[in-house]
Amino acid sequence: MKKLISILSVIFFVGAMSANAQCCSGAAKSGPNVSCDGCAVAPQSSEVKAYYFHATKRCVTCQAVEKVARETIEENYKGKVTFVSINREEEKDNPLVKKYKISGQTLLLVKGDETVDLTSSAFMNARTKPEKFEKRLKSEIDELL
C-alpha cells in the first residue's frame, strides 16, 4: 500500500510540474507579461489587482470610472492593490481580455481565482456620486484583503 501511494504521489507531482512547464513555456513564446493562470499575468493568490478595461474613445463617465478607481486605490491601498488600465481595442490579444471574456467597459477586482465585477456600480456612480462608488470599491477591496 505504501508503495502504491508513493508511486501515485510521484505521478501526480510529475503531472503537475509538466502542466506548469507547458503553461509558462507557452507564455514565454508570446512575449513579456503574457501568460496563463499560473504565471505572471494572473495575480498571486494573495495579490489583489483592479483591472479596468476600456475602449479607445471614452465618454466622461468612462473617464470618471478610471479616475475614481485609480485615485481610491492609490490613496488607500498603495503597495497592496495594483490598478491596471487596459485598452481592450488596442490590446485585443491581451490574455486578460480573453480570460475574462471582455467585450465592453469593465471594472474587475481579482484575487487568485476570485473575481468581483464592479462595472455596474462604477458606471452608475463614478461621475454623479463618486463617494458612493469609492465606498463600494473600498468595501470590496477590504473583503479581498
Side-chain angles (χ1 to χ4, degrees), residues 10-145:
V10 168
I11 291 171
F12 176 75
F13 177 76
V14 169
M17 294 305 290
S18 174
N20 188 44
Q22 288 175 353
C23 164
C24 293
S25 66
K29 292 175 188 172
S30 300
N33 300 323
V34 177
S35 62
C36 65
D37 292 338
C39 304
V41 166
Q44 300 301 316
S45 60
S46 63
E47 183 180 17
V48 177
K49 287 199 174 192
Y51 295 116
Y52 177 55
F53 299 91
H54 61 83
T56 303
K57 292 185 179 182
R58 301 195 288 168
C59 66
V60 177
T61 303
C62 295
Q63 292 170 353
V65 169
E66 180 172 356
K67 181 178 187 266
V68 174
R70 182 184 301 275
E71 288 176 357
T72 300
I73 289 167
E74 288 176 357
E75 290 172 12
N76 297 281
Y77 302 99
K78 194 161 187 97
K80 294 180 185 175
V81 179
T82 305
F83 182 86
V84 180
S85 180
I86 299 168
N87 184 325
R88 64 180 173 75
E89 292 177 336
E90 290 178 2
E91 299 182 48
K92 289 177 187 169
D93 293 330
N94 185 311
L96 294 171
V97 172
K98 292 177 181 179
K99 178 179 180 176
Y100 297 113
K101 299 177 177 125
I102 303 299
S103 60
Q105 279 68 290
T106 307
L107 178 62
L108 300 176
L109 294 176
V110 178
K111 180 180 181 183
D113 293 335
E114 194 171 349
T115 304
V116 178
D117 187 340
L118 291 172
T119 307
S120 294
S121 177
F123 278 84
M124 285 185 347
N125 298 302
R127 199 171 123 242
T128 57
K129 300 176 194 158
E131 64 286 339
K132 185 174 181 179
F133 169 49
E134 183 178 340
K135 182 178 178 182
R136 170 83 191 280
L137 178 61
K138 288 165 69 174
S139 171
E140 295 292 348
I141 291 172
D142 289 344
E143 284 187 38
L144 290 172
L145 292 175

